[in-house]
Structure formats: structure tokens, C-alpha cells
Amino acid sequence: MFSVVLKITQSSGGEILKENIYFKGMETRGDDDKERVIGLIDMDCFECQVYQRDKPKLKGSPCVVANSKGRIVSVNYEARPSGISRSLCVSDAKKKCENLTVFKIPDVLGKPDNSKLRHASQEVLDIIKDYIGKNGLDQIVLEYSPTDEFYLDLTNQVDHELQNVFKKAYYGMIASSQIFPHLIAILLFLCTLLQHNSLAALFVCLLIMPKFLKELKSTRERMRLHCGASLIRRVCNEIESKSRMTASGGVSGNKFRAKLASSENKPNGVAIIEGNDFNDILSSKKIRDVPGLKSGLGEKVSSTWGIREIQELKKYSRDELQRYLEADEVDKILNILTGIDPSPVIAKEFSAAIHCRKTIFAARQTGHGETYGAGKGWLN
């Protein structure tokens, strides 16, 4: 027995394509996180919003989405204070919240029919692409990460806007920061010192300048991230206006930090993680709440060492981790703890696809020629 799969892919314009996903380009910028501005748009409890918007009267009320087996796959924010989570089944959830609304994902041929979610996801993707196109944001690189996350490399667009629209604001921020008074004080002090001792003036200059330059660089990074957050906020507002669904955003120097930031101001908010803030934010998290450690690897770490907090995990060295974990798992954990993620945002363009499957039983299992012929005949 073997299976023949026929996949017909059609673009929005009706053109037949060979692949439903293809790369439009790849961001090749260096992996220096301070040089990149990465944003993530994460739909808030996506499944609940998709089903709930068909019944506007239920907006603001507690609801969950469950599969045909009664397992909860999504919980909205109104239901969470009652102690309802995805680890519960529907019967237990109803005991915790009597007015809970349950939406069920239908089955087709014994499998969940997620077509409603896929269509809603495509709708959001089209809104983002349309907004980028209509507002001249063509330097943004968009990566669709099924089904409710959208990564955007804002680096080039932010640099472009800082050189134009945000140029005055950038210098205004410098003037209002600690840099400007420091600069005035340094210049006055050096002028006075030069009149008495030039060597002392040189020494003071060498002592102070590194700190001044570091502050200047930090101010530039902060301004670029805030500019990126402004772009993400505008896109989220457009999504809410067109789809009646809210999204949260995160902005930072790489994809991992942006994803971590996106959970800091949910729902319907945008958060920034600057380089200096990363360690404090990560250390305050539980292992199960950190991207990359929410399921398999995180559960393995927690059960092996009996720990629940990231702060506890930070105490273990590479050698200690390697005693119980695979090399790739150790590398992943260390990258998470240090916030390293050089992976680029890759531009992807998706189109609608139709999948057909046919199972063919060969009359005799004596060779590949007969099965190939049967499959070819069905395709024709």
C-alpha cells in the first residue's frame, strides 16, 4: 500500500504555482543584536477571538476553545482569573466557571478541522501586507509563523525613518537625556582644566569619554527600539480595525527577545526589551513561561533538577547541564539564558493550497512499476 498526494497551489490572482511557500528574500544583516530591530505581532488568544467574533454579544465574557475530545486548546483572558488553563478538560473548566462559553473545533475524517483558523490567519496576514504596501513600509521583512505570530525585521525601515521623520525627535531625545548635561559639564570642566594643566585635562577626557560614548550608543539603541514599537503599534491597530481581533507586540534585538517582550504587555499592548533590561526580565520568569522552554525541554529540565524558576536554572554550568542533557539541548538553554538568537527574519509569501490524497492498493507487490502506473493513472 502506498499514498499518492496531489497538491494544487493557487495564488490570490488565480495563477497556478508549483509551491505554496517560497522565499522572497532573506535578511542577511549581521547577528549583532544591537544593530537589529525585530518585532513580533502575536494574536491574543487567537482561537478564542476567531470563534468569539462570530458572536459579538459574547465579547468580554469568559470562553474557551476545545477539540472534539474535550481538551482545551485556547483560553481567553476573561476566563483565566477563574483558574482555567489549557491543561484542563472542558468538564473541569465548567466547574470553575459556570458562565463559561465553550467553542468546539469540528472534526473532519477524524481530525480537527482548522480551516476556520487558517482563513483567519490568512486574513491577518493580508491585513499586515496591505498596510505595509499602502504606507510605503517596503523595507520591512515579514515572516509568517503559523498560525498567529508574525515576525517583522524593522531594521532598515527604522533606520530610514530615523534619518527622515524621526530625525528631530532623535536629537531631541539626546538633548533631554543625560547625555546633553554631561556634555556641557565636560566641556566647561575641560576648558577650565586646560588653562592650568593640559595633561590632567587629557587624562580626564580619556576617563570620561568611554562612558559618554556608551551612553550615546545606548540612547541610539533606545530610540531605534521605540521607533520600531511605534510601527508595531500602528500595525496592531490596523489589525484590530479590520479584523475585530486584538494583537500584542514585542520589539527587541532578535527574534527570541522580541517573543519574550510580546508577553510583557498582553493583551493588546506593545513592549520593548532593551539590552540592559533583558537579564532582569528573564530572571523574573518561571521556566514554563519562557519561549523554547514551555513544553518538552522545559519539563525535562524541571523534572531533572526539581526547579521551576529561571533564576535557579542560571546557577548550573555547561558541564552540569551536559550530564543529563544532549549537546544541542544545552546549547539551546545557554542561548536562551544569554538572549542569543542570530536567526534571521525570512520573508515568506503564502498562497492558498488544495491538498488531495488517494490511497492505492497495488494488485501485486512485485515491483515499483505497477504502483507507479496506478498512481500516474489516478493523477491523470
Side-chain angles (χ1 to χ4, degrees), residues 110-122:
K111 293 184 178 181
D113 179 15
N114 291 315
S115 58
K116 189 180 186 69
L117 301 176
R118 286 195 299 270
H119 292 155
S121 183
Q122 182 67 48

Side-chain angles (χ1 to χ4, degrees), residues 33-81:
D33 292 343
K34 291 187 178 180
E35 291 299 321
R36 295 200 294 165
V37 180
I38 306 299
L40 171 65
I41 294 175
D42 185 8
M43 301 302 295
D44 298 323
C45 47
F46 180 60
E47 293 89 345
C48 285
Q49 287 201 91
V50 170
Y51 281 91
Q52 201 171 25
R53 69 174 176 170
D54 292 337
K55 297 183 178 181
K57 292 182 179 179
L58 293 177
K59 187 174 182 179
S61 62
C63 80
V64 299
V65 176
N67 58 26
S68 60
K69 296 180 181 179
R71 304 301 302 182
I72 295 175
V73 298
S74 181
V75 183
N76 73 350
Y77 289 95
E78 289 78 9
R80 295 180 189 185

